[in-house]
Amino acid sequence: MTAVSQLGYLGLGVKDLGEWAAYAEQTLGIERVATDADGTMLLRLDEHHHRFALHQDAHDDITYSGWQVDTAADLKTIGTRLEAGGVDVAWGTREESERRRVINLIRFKDPDGHDVEVFYGPQMASAPFVSKKGGTSFVAGSQGLGHFVIAANNLETTMDFYTSMLGMKVSDYVTRGRLKLGFLHCNPRHHSIAFVEFPGAPKRANHFMLQLEDFDTVGRTWDSVQSGAAPVIMTLGRHSNDEMVSFYMRNPSGFGVEYGWGAREVDDSCWQVAQYDTTSTWGHKSPDRTAIAAP
Ligand SMILES: [Fe+2]
């Protein structure tokens, strides 16, 4: 089945671009590459031109996701499949493609009304990624920028859309009391997207995750966060399903960033779907009892 191959980019609508610029470069260690004429700030973390587009917007939320396919033929196949499934698909104009730095894209909404884009042909950077936060490098490239977790009104309906329309595969589930999470992959990264069932959630974004090459970078950043660089959402811990060691901090838009290392990878030739009754094997303690430790 033709499928998306990686999470290419995320669009964020943020209230304070200046605060985000400082947080992105100093705390996350990702690099500001350009500011478009409309003020949109583009950030990179690997060989792709950019992975995040931050738009001036009062929502302070993830506003769209961009999923890469390998070829023009794959884009056409997925677009046609969505249309056959009754989804309203907008084929990207030249101007939209140029704005996203891709060859072509389509736009549509998922069952929760989230804006989703599928594209092929991302622009690559002309120089290697070098973080201003010394020694910081990310596990990205063909695994995509990382992962993100958003709210879904009905977990199964949303999971079914992403598997049947975009060709993603189920990794596993976490169910603990009323907490229900589902995880999907499209390459060896354990999950590129996950959903937490939360009908009517005021903010769609739970968190996005950046995976570091080096555990010491996670440790040093954990030190700086404990010293006040960003509010802590979850302490250092290891997740049950992807086995990532990570901590969670609050970004300037008020939702989470998971900063992690050491996740296991999916091998589709022998992967078996599982369910867990806990998100973490140790740690990931919340100083705020209302927060959710979504892997
Ligand atoms: Fe996560």
Side-chain angles (χ1 to χ4, degrees), residues 180-226:
K180 282 168 71 178
L181 293 151
F183 300 82
L184 296 174
H185 64 271
C186 55
N187 59 49
R189 189 185 293 287
H190 174 275
H191 57 284
S192 293
I193 187 168
F195 305 97
V196 55
E197 192 167 80
F198 188 168
K203 203 184 272 285
R204 67 184 61 171
N206 178 285
H207 71 270
F208 65 79
M209 185 284 305
L210 302 178
Q211 184 172 343
L212 282 299
E213 292 271 11
D214 172 20
F215 187 43
D216 286 335
T217 307
V218 177
R220 281 194 290 270
T221 309
W222 173 233
D223 276 353
S224 75
V225 166
Q226 285 183 295

Side-chain angles (χ1 to χ4, degrees), residues 147 149 191 207-209 239 242 244 248 258 294-295:
H147 71 231
V149 179
H191 57 284
H207 71 270
F208 65 79
M209 185 284 305
H239 280 306
D242 68 359
M244 179 174 283
Y248 289 66
E258 179 181 11

Side-chain angles (χ1 to χ4, degrees), residues 154-175:
N154 180 287
L155 188 65
E156 284 310 318
T157 303
T158 300
M159 296 272 281
D160 183 60
F161 179 85
Y162 281 81
T163 52
S164 64
M165 292 295 171
L166 303 190
M168 300 185 74
K169 292 180 176 167
V170 177
S171 305
D172 40 43
Y173 296 88
V174 173
T175 307

Side-chain angles (χ1 to χ4, degrees), residues 209-285:
M209 185 284 305
L210 302 178
Q211 184 172 343
L212 282 299
E213 292 271 11
D214 172 20
F215 187 43
D216 286 335
T217 307
V218 177
R220 281 194 290 270
T221 309
W222 173 233
D223 276 353
S224 75
V225 166
Q226 285 183 295
S227 301
V232 174
I233 298 177
M234 294 287 164
T235 61
L236 202 63
R238 187 186 284 276
H239 280 306
S240 333
N241 60 347
D242 68 359
E243 300 178 0
M244 179 174 283
V245 181
S246 61
F247 70 89
Y248 289 66
M249 57 186 138
R250 200 175 303 285
N251 65 45
S253 291
F255 61 92
V257 176
E258 179 181 11
Y259 210 66
W261 168 85
R264 68 172 168 152
E265 296 184 351
V266 169
D267 176 353
D268 272 322
S269 70
C270 58
W271 187 258
Q272 299 180 351
V273 175
Q275 59 170 329
Y276 296 84
D277 62 3
T278 177
T279 56
S280 308
T281 55
W282 58 267
H284 287 147
K285 303 296 183 196

